[in-house]
């Protein structure tokens, strides 16, 4: 499976209370269960008017299917090509 970052434009999502985020999570999880093992939600980051979600998925098509079924927009889907972090500075050449 590939890693993807999904940008979702959701007005005022940064003001959502914990209960709203819980309900959103439940709705997403229900669709994920229906779609099966070819897609997995890892985590999401919430800003004022957007979320940035990290998913593992077999392809972009299943991410778009999840967006349509759940009603959560997939404004932009980007496949992660490589990962690096501060420890990369110490990796052997």
């Amino acid at each position: 499976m590939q890693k993807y970052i999904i940008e979702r434009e959701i007005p005022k999502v940064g003001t959502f209370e914990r209960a709203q985020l819980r309900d959103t999570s439940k709705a997403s999880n229900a669709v994920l269960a229906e779609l099966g093992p070819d897609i997995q939600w890892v985590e999401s980051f919430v800003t004022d008017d957007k979320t940035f979600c990290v998913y593992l998925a077999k392809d972009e098509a299943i991410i778009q299917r999840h967006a349509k079924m759940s009603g959560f927009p997939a404004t932009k889907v980007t496949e992660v090509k490589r990962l690096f972090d501060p420890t990369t500075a110490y990796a052997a050449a």
Side-chain angles (χ1 to χ4, degrees), residues 20-62:
Q20 289 172 285
L21 293 174
R22 183 184 61 238
D23 292 345
T24 299
S25 179
K26 285 180 181 180
S28 179
N29 286 340
V31 174
L32 291 169
E34 189 174 335
L35 290 173
D38 290 334
I39 184 169
Q40 177 186 351
W41 175 25
V42 177
E43 62 187 342
S44 294
F45 301 91
V46 179
T47 65
D48 288 337
D49 294 311
K50 294 181 182 182
T51 63
F52 296 88
C53 305
V54 179
Y55 276 71
L56 300 176
K58 72 173 186 173
D59 56 30
E60 184 178 341
I62 197 164

Side-chain angles (χ1 to χ4, degrees), residues 2 4 12 14-16 23 25-26 33-36 43 47 60 69 76 78 82:
Q2 300 299 317
Y4 293 89
K12 300 185 181 182
T15 65
F16 284 17
D23 292 345
S25 179
K26 285 180 181 180
E34 189 174 335
L35 290 173
E43 62 187 342
T47 65
E60 184 178 341
M69 291 172 66
K76 183 175 181 183
T78 305
R82 304 221 30 191

Side-chain angles (χ1 to χ4, degrees), residues 83-93:
L83 177 67
F84 73 101
D85 61 30
T87 64
T88 304
Y90 308 104

